[in-house]
Structure formats: structure tokens, C-alpha cells
Amino acid sequence: MRCIKDGWVPVEIIDVASVALDQTEFTLTVGESAQLTATVLPENASDPTVSWSSSDPAVATVTDGLVTALGKGTAVITATAGGQSATCTVTVLPEGNSMGGGDPEDFDPEDWN
């Protein structure tokens, strides 16, 4: 237990033990978005605030868990709380080359490498 001076009332600080995401990987097409949900444990952690980041903002950005695909490639989305973190790998395909969509004439095998 840690105490802070606030009229000399002891305050228990409950550290974050873990962070988990509802998905560990997914694929989007440029322009699409998907929502990630982070779970912070224990539920009564003193500061369960989650911060989000992307390893490559040119490929995908993230705001409050909402991932937006911007450019072809792969980005790792990280959710962090209380020194603990979890990641999700996002693969972004170019427009028109997603699974089951697009014009076959526009298919470029290099887009899949």
C-alpha cells in the first residue's frame, strides 16, 4: 500500500496487472476502419487509462481503439496501461485488391508480398 499526503488519509494504489485486446491480428483495405477493444485487469486498477499507438502511422492510425487503414503494409497497434501492453498486427491491402473484391484486371501480385 502506498500513501499520499491528503489530510494523511492512506490511499491504496492498485497497479495494472495486464492488458488484453479482443483481436491479435486482422486485415483491412485502405480506407476501412475497425474497432479494437482493450481489457485492463484488475478491473479496479487505480489508473486503467489506455494509450494507443501505431508502429507505422502511414499504414494505420489508431484513436481510442479505432484503427484506420491509410496505406498498404503492416502496422502493429499497441494498447498500453500502467506499464502493461498488448498488440495487434494489422495488414492493410490496397483498394480494390481485398479478398473477394476488385477488378481482376487491376490485380498486381506485388500487392500481396
Side-chain angles (χ1 to χ4, degrees):
M1 179 184 317
R2 299 179 201 147
C3 298
I4 61 172
K5 185 176 179 181
D6 184 17
W8 296 102
V9 176
V11 175
E12 184 175 2
I13 304 296
I14 300 171
D15 294 325
V16 172
S18 67
V19 176
L21 292 173
D22 61 336
Q23 298 181 71
T24 57
E25 63 181 330
F26 59 86
T27 300
L28 295 173
T29 300
V30 171
E32 291 183 330
S33 295
Q35 183 69 48
L36 281 173
T37 302
T39 301
V40 176
L41 293 177
E43 292 179 1
N44 63 339
S46 296
D47 185 6
T49 304
V50 176
S51 62
W52 297 89
S53 64
S54 170
S55 66
D56 192 342
V59 172
T61 59
V62 60
T63 303
D64 296 327
L66 182 64
V67 179
T68 302
L70 299 179
K72 178 185 145 190
T74 302
V76 177
I77 304 300
T78 303
T80 304
Q84 304 297 317
S85 62
T87 62
C88 176
T89 301
V90 179
T91 301
V92 178
L93 302 176
E95 289 183 275
N97 285 337
S98 64
M99 303 280 212
D103 184 344
E105 296 293 321
D106 294 334
F107 178 74
D108 180 354
E110 289 297 314
D111 290 337
W112 293 88
N113 293 327

